[in-house]
Amino acid sequence: MGLMNLNLRRCLKHLSDNVKHKGRFLGSVSSQKYQVELDRSLQVPEEYWGRISENIIWEKKWDKVMDNSNPPFVKWFPGGELSLCYNAVDRHVDEGFGDETAIIWDSAITDRKDKISYNRLKDEVSRVAGLLSRLGVGRGDRVLIYMPMVPEAMVAMLATIRLGAVHSVVFGGFAAKELSTRIKHAEPKVIISASCGIEPNRIVKYKPNVDEAIRLSGLEIKNLVFQRDECIADIGKNDIVWQDVVPGVPGVDCVPVGSMDPLYILYTSGTTGEPKGVQHPTGGHAVVNKWTMETIYGMQPGDTWFAASDLGWIVGHEYTCYSPLLNRTKTILYEGKPVATPDPGQFFRVIQEYQVNGMFTAPTAIRAIKKEDQNGEYAQKYDLSSLRYLFVAGEHCDYDTRLWAEKIFQVPVLDNWWQTETGHAMTSTCIGLGNSLNPPKDVSGMPVPGWDMRILKEDGTEAEANELGRIVAKLPMPPGCMSTLFRADQRFHDTYFKTFPGYYDTMDAGMKDENGYIKVMARDDDVINVAGHRLSTSALEEVILAHPGVGDAAVVGVKDTLKGQLPIGLIVPRLEYTGNLREELVVKVRNDLGAVAAFRIVIMVKGLPRTRSGKTARKTLSDLADGKKVKIPPTIEDPSVYGDIKLALQEHGYALNAPDPE
Ligand code: COA
């Protein structure tokens, strides 16, 4: 208890020191510097980004900062040529920092550690690039990466872009079938994988998943396999073992590409139907992501940064791999969970051991630690004084979680909001521009320079301050955002720019207050957020509907104190089916989509609320499950189904205090 009080005092002191330090802005909501930068980025974007683009080494300087002649297909830095790999790796060697640590690998789950200098990183990346080149990979070709959190995964990403090729990293929690749809869509020349990933309760064999996915895709693809000691994979005729070949291959140089050439494709939201491959361009991405490290996150070259997200997600791409390396900020690659590998003290250990200055995680990870260590006893065992800020993203951070984290981590906890599509934060507290470190509760910060965020009502007019609406960004979007969807320009246009012409539709609902703070409320489309992972409910439905025992199905998200949301399957069974439908569906989702969907709640119902045009009124179902008041939309064909659904939900402990839908 005494310790706790001491910790609390330290925390308050630290917070007030931090606020005093930047304290010019306590009391005022945004700094003058921030306001000037935001205004200039919107009023004279070419001048603004042109100046910032000097932070990158260009092989050939751009002809123009922006070409916006064909919106929404804006071109940033057309005519420019660069290698992002050069800027993230070789540049630091050339500038005399070759011995400095680039990557710190900390595997809490295997109890292994490693520090990789820029010299060593350059050597390994250029050799793997040499091997990929021998396997026929060249500029514009795709390489699919399916690996756990080992340094070789980052080496694989960097080696791919070194050749001007394009990677698509697929998170290891996705199953073979989901992997195969992405293989079919991306048509990679080579797949890079590992023999296994390691989860607290089991070793996950990756290789059989890759073999099965390649078989399902019907393609013949070479697979470069990194063998891990924990599980040696069987090797087939199209496989190459990393350890056998890479050391003997001479390294190759960086291949510069055009600014708008793709850097990577990242598939979003569990896509069993037509995959949605978000494509990011190289030039804008290099410029903006390097800039964000100091401007948003307050990290300098030589600082140490810890983004605890898997490389398979956008946060892992941007803030475990590329942005810190571009900024010469040491990056920690952490393999393990926030809890249970082996205890809830691991994040704090990492902070102390490597003197971490800034950290980035998801609220769900904080809730997991809080659940197991409410009083922060593990945190107290470690010296956290090196830490300056904790950033959270991936889902909305509720105020209780933020307050608890501020008390335990002893630093400001700052929400920032962004999407796979945007590549960096749209709203945040911009440390480098002196925004207040004590934003109001429940907000996700203010627009980052480059983002003209508006709240629109259904009729397309602007909402008043504090009025709920759709959050959109006025075009052009800044550099560093997606340029299109892979092989789907029309879909890109129709998905994001059709509903509100002239704006990027974030598909999130929210509001802006009178000071310009943005509050993000809920997804307006079918995406749910499970443990910081975005999943598509229609993709889950598609898997479930393919089961012969299912007549109809709807998947909706229900609130969960740990993971934010969990999927619930509301199933109308076929009466003639005699199997154990509940269990079979859980196994089917695990096998087809992946364990990451955390799909376990299956509830049988007699019917579902459909509109006349056949759409399921999912929002009413998730509101009902969460115990909220539901107004039945007038277009629902058979409103009586709600009574039965409510009873079924209540039998499973949901919708407990929900009033009857009207
Ligand atoms: N490879 C294979 N399987 C994986 C995997 C991987 N890389 N990652 C997760 N899985 C599996 C897990 O083993 C688990 O399977 P199980 O049902 O057999 O237990 C399932 O997918 C769900 O995993 P996860 O979402 O990690 O849940 P969890 O209950 O194991 O852990 C948390 C809960 C909150 C600790 C964890 O979700 C977490 O750390 N979340 C933070 C996520 C994050 O940082 N997101 C990025 C946004 S910034």
Side-chain angles (χ1 to χ4, degrees):
M1 194 61 198
L3 249 184
M4 187 62 209
N5 283 339
L6 181 69
N7 230 7
L8 199 64
R9 280 203 302 278
R10 269 167 61 199
C11 160
L12 290 173
K13 178 166 180 328
H14 192 90
L15 272 174
S16 79
D17 285 353
N18 255 319
V19 172
K20 262 187 236 147
H21 173 58
K22 320 256 171 186
R24 295 160 289 163
F25 312 115
L26 190 66
S28 71
V29 285
S30 69
S31 77
Q32 203 188 355
K33 184 172 178 196
Y34 162 76
Q35 206 53 56
V36 168
E37 296 265 332
L38 178 68
D39 291 349
R40 286 191 53 235
S41 72
L42 303 182
Q43 286 157 10
V44 279
E46 297 200 54
E47 185 197 305
Y48 187 79
W49 294 113
R51 178 177 52 81
I52 290 170
S53 76
E54 287 165 19
N55 65 357
I56 287 302
I57 297 194
W58 294 85
E59 179 74 15
K60 176 176 168 288
K61 199 180 168 188
W62 36 265
D63 302 327
K64 218 173 169 232
V65 177
M66 174 176 69
D67 173 357
N68 195 21
S69 55
N70 182 26
F73 298 92
V74 56
K75 290 188 181 132
W76 285 102
F77 312 113
E81 284 182 17
L82 74 163
S83 161
L84 197 139
C85 183
Y86 178 81
N87 279 279
V89 183
D90 304 43
R91 170 186 185 164
H92 307 311
V93 175
D94 291 352
E95 291 179 355
F97 300 101
D99 291 333
E100 223 174 68
T101 299
I103 302 171
I104 297 168
W105 181 51
D106 187 292
S107 174
I109 204 156
T110 61
D111 207 15
R112 290 169 203 249
K113 297 169 188 179
D114 198 3
K115 282 190 180 170
I116 299 163
S117 67
Y118 281 104
N119 279 332
R120 188 174 136 204
L121 187 61
K122 179 181 166 187
D123 182 63
E124 291 182 15
V125 168
S126 61
R127 284 177 196 279
V128 174
L131 175 60
L132 291 176
S133 170
R134 281 189 187 177
L135 296 173
V137 175
R139 191 172 161 174
D141 290 332
R142 271 85 49 213
V143 172
L144 189 136
I145 299 171
Y146 183 69
M147 296 181 91
M149 293 290 276
V150 290
E152 288 71 16
M154 283 173 73
V155 169
M157 292 164 79
L158 290 159
T160 304
I161 65 163
R162 191 175 187 84
L163 296 173
V166 183
H167 60 67
S168 185
V169 181
V170 177
F171 174 56
F174 285 116
K177 205 161 169 198
E178 181 64 23
L179 182 60
S180 84
T181 62
R182 297 172 188 218
I183 292 174
K184 262 191 266 181
H185 197 254
E187 295 182 318
K189 274 245 169 89
V190 173
I191 294 178
I192 310 182
S193 70
S195 52
C196 65
I198 299 150
E199 286 292 295
N201 52 1
R202 65 193 193 285
I203 287 184
V204 184
K205 292 186 177 175
Y206 279 28
K207 182 66 179 15
N209 274 2
V210 177
D211 290 345
E212 173 66 359
I214 295 177
R215 191 189 65 75
L216 289 171
S217 77
L219 301 167
E220 185 146 322
I221 306 171
K222 292 257 185 265
N223 182 8
L224 174 60
V225 186
F226 178 74
Q227 295 278 27
R228 300 191 73 181
D229 293 345
E230 288 76 9
C231 158
I232 301 295
D234 294 338
I235 292 303
K237 74 173 176 23
N238 277 330
D239 303 329
I240 301 141
V241 175
W242 180 301
Q243 286 93 331
D244 291 350
V245 184
V246 170
V249 180
V252 293
D253 265 342
C254 298
V255 176
V257 297
S259 280
M260 288 305 292
D261 283 3
L263 178 67
Y264 62 79
I265 300 163
L266 186 51
Y267 289 94
T268 60
S269 310
T271 40
T272 51
E274 185 58 22
K276 193 162 107 184
V278 174
Q279 181 174 314
H280 281 270
T282 305
H285 178 93
V287 171
V288 171
N289 281 82
K290 177 170 162 52
W291 167 86
T292 61
M293 284 306 288
E294 289 191 39
T295 310
I296 299 184
Y297 302 107
M299 290 297 111
Q300 307 294 328
D303 277 347
T304 303
W305 170 254
F306 174 23
S309 165
D310 194 282
L311 288 167
W313 308 107
I314 189 77
V315 177
H317 275 58
E318 305 291 356
Y319 290 100
T320 303
C321 188
Y322 292 124
S323 309
L325 291 178
L326 284 164
N327 200 44
R328 199 167 50 76
T329 297
K330 296 180 194 73
T331 182
I332 292 176
L333 179 71
Y334 175 77
E335 186 183 34
K337 304 265 171 180
V339 293
T341 59
D343 60 44
Q346 292 308 303
F347 279 8
F348 308 106
R349 174 188 63 75
V350 168
I351 292 168
Q352 172 185 291
E353 196 165 329
Y354 307 109
Q355 295 288 291
V356 171
N357 305 115
M359 184 173 169
F360 194 141
T361 190
T364 185
I366 296 174
R367 287 197 297 270
I369 299 173
K370 182 179 170 203
K371 193 169 164 217
E372 297 206 2
D373 187 23
Q374 175 72 37
N375 293 327
E377 279 159 23
Y378 277 93
Q380 289 167 47
K381 295 184 187 168
Y382 300 97
D383 175 5
L384 309 179
S385 58
S386 61
L387 193 66
R388 301 199 289 264
Y389 321 101
L390 171 61
F391 288 89
V392 286
E395 62 181 304
H396 172 66
C397 186
D398 61 278
Y399 194 49
D400 282 351
T401 303
R402 185 179 137 195
L403 279 186
W404 185 85
E406 276 183 346
K407 194 170 81 182
I408 301 300
F409 285 83
Q410 308 166 36
V411 288
V413 175
L414 302 162
D415 198 0
N416 60 142
W417 170 61
W418 49 304
Q419 302 173 326
T420 301
E421 289 84 348
T422 66
H424 66 279
M426 287 177 279
T427 67
S428 183
T429 293
C430 291
I431 300 289
L433 302 180
N435 277 159
S436 164
L437 293 174
N438 193 16
K441 71 183 236 179
D442 275 358
V443 301
S444 303
M446 292 189 173
V448 167
W451 289 98
D452 189 354
M453 306 306 304
R454 312 277 178 106
I455 313 292
L456 297 188
K457 295 191 279 195
E458 253 173 49
D459 63 4
T461 59
E462 278 201 43
E464 305 284 320
N466 298 311
E467 192 185 355
L468 189 64
R470 186 76 81 112
I471 315 178
V472 298
K474 193 161 184 302
L475 299 184
M477 290 158 88
C481 298
M482 65 177 167
S483 49
T484 189
L485 294 176
F486 182 60
R487 292 182 170 159
D489 285 349
Q490 190 60 45
R491 186 175 178 198
F492 169 72
H493 175 271
D494 294 351
T495 307
Y496 301 107
F497 306 98
K498 207 170 160 187
T499 320
F500 301 104
Y503 298 91
Y504 164 64
D505 182 3
T506 68
M507 286 176 241
D508 277 333
M511 52 179 78
K512 197 194 256 191
D513 75 8
E514 42 288 290
N515 295 315
Y517 280 112
I518 303 274
K519 186 166 171 177
V520 184
M521 314 289 282
R523 237 9 238 183
D524 258 13
D525 62 3
D526 78 341
V527 174
I528 58 172
N529 198 315
V530 180
H533 312 319
R534 280 172 50 174
L535 296 170
S536 153
T537 50
S538 45
L540 277 153
E541 280 169 15
E542 213 175 292
V543 172
I544 289 167
L545 285 166
H547 187 290
V550 174
D552 199 358
V555 175
V556 297
V558 65
K559 275 203 182 123
D560 179 71
T561 49
L562 174 66
K563 296 197 175 186
Q565 280 187 300
L566 281 176
I568 287 191
L570 296 167
I571 312 296
V572 184
R574 282 190 199 283
L575 291 179
E576 67 276 17
Y577 191 73
T578 51
N580 185 343
L581 192 52
R582 195 167 269 127
E583 256 173 45
E584 288 168 22
L585 288 177
V586 170
V587 172
K588 183 162 169 50
V589 170
R590 232 180 138 79
N591 289 344
D592 289 6
L593 200 62
V596 67
F599 179 74
R600 291 202 178 84
I601 313 166
V602 179
I603 300 179
M604 303 302 170
V605 294
K606 294 192 189 115
L608 292 167
R610 296 261 191 227
T611 63
R612 273 169 217 129
S613 60
K615 277 194 191 141
T616 319
R618 289 202 195 93
K619 175 92 173 71
T620 60
L621 293 174
S622 62
D623 282 352
L624 183 63
D626 286 338
K628 290 188 194 154
K629 189 167 179 209
V630 168
K631 195 165 171 345
I632 301 175
T635 47
I636 293 296
E637 292 256 85
D638 177 9
S640 70
V641 292
Y642 280 102
D644 157 61
I645 293 175
K646 185 178 161 191
L647 283 178
L649 284 165
Q650 286 180 331
E651 274 172 28
H652 288 78
Y654 300 101
L656 287 182
N657 297 314
D660 281 335
E662 296 168 359

